[in-house]
Amino acid sequence: MFVYFCINIKRLMRIVSQRRLKDFYESSGREDSRSALERWYEITENAEWKDFNDLKMDFPSTDYVGNQHYVFNIRGNRYRLVVVVKFTIGYVFIRFVGTHAEYDKIDCVTI
């Protein structure tokens, strides 16, 4: 006789390349982004997102721009953060962090 146990294992999001955030907020003139980016990291790292609706509950102003790319407004929309979210495996890949003006110069769907 086999007994099966269902264990609810908490699957938190894993963020790839925190270094990109740190490099950004430690660069000259961007130090004001530090607390907002660290807060984003903390919330995201502890999230259990299964889909975009779950993500929107934590970050209501997030936009889906296609190709699994999502754009977050950071520090009152002064900065933008572009990530790829793989909900099925629980990974977040940081693709871009920059000012709003720098964001306007990229194609955030393919970055």
Side-chain angles (χ1 to χ4, degrees):
M1 174 190 272
F2 293 98
V3 178
Y4 293 96
F5 294 96
C6 291
I7 300 173
N8 189 7
I9 298 173
K10 193 172 185 181
R11 185 184 56 116
L12 303 177
M13 301 305 287
R14 296 201 45 169
I15 303 168
V16 176
S17 199
Q18 176 188 14
R19 184 89 204 139
R20 196 172 278 190
L21 295 181
K22 191 172 182 183
D23 288 346
F24 182 80
Y25 67 64
E26 288 181 346
S27 62
S28 179
R30 297 168 180 201
E31 298 89 352
D32 62 333
S33 66
R34 181 178 187 148
S35 63
L37 288 170
E38 286 179 342
R39 183 73 179 130
W40 175 89
Y41 188 89
E42 179 184 341
I43 292 169
T44 303
E45 182 179 50
N46 291 301
E48 296 181 70
W49 300 332
K50 294 174 191 70
D51 55 34
F52 185 43
N53 291 327
D54 289 345
L55 186 155
K56 290 282 274 186
M57 291 183 76
D58 287 330
F59 298 101
S61 66
T62 304
D63 294 315
Y64 175 67
V65 293
N67 198 24
Q68 300 178 338
H69 287 64
Y70 298 84
V71 179
F72 294 84
N73 298 321
I74 303 295
R75 199 171 177 272
N77 207 21
R78 181 168 180 186
Y79 301 104
R80 292 284 181 100
L81 175 64
V82 180
V83 303
V84 171
V85 180
K86 303 283 189 178
F87 294 107
T88 56
I89 60 173
Y91 273 75
V92 177
F93 299 90
I94 297 171
R95 305 300 290 161
F96 169 85
V97 59
T99 65
H100 200 277
E102 291 167 336
Y103 167 83
D104 287 340
K105 296 175 185 175
I106 66 165
D107 180 358
C108 60
V109 176
T110 60
I111 193 165

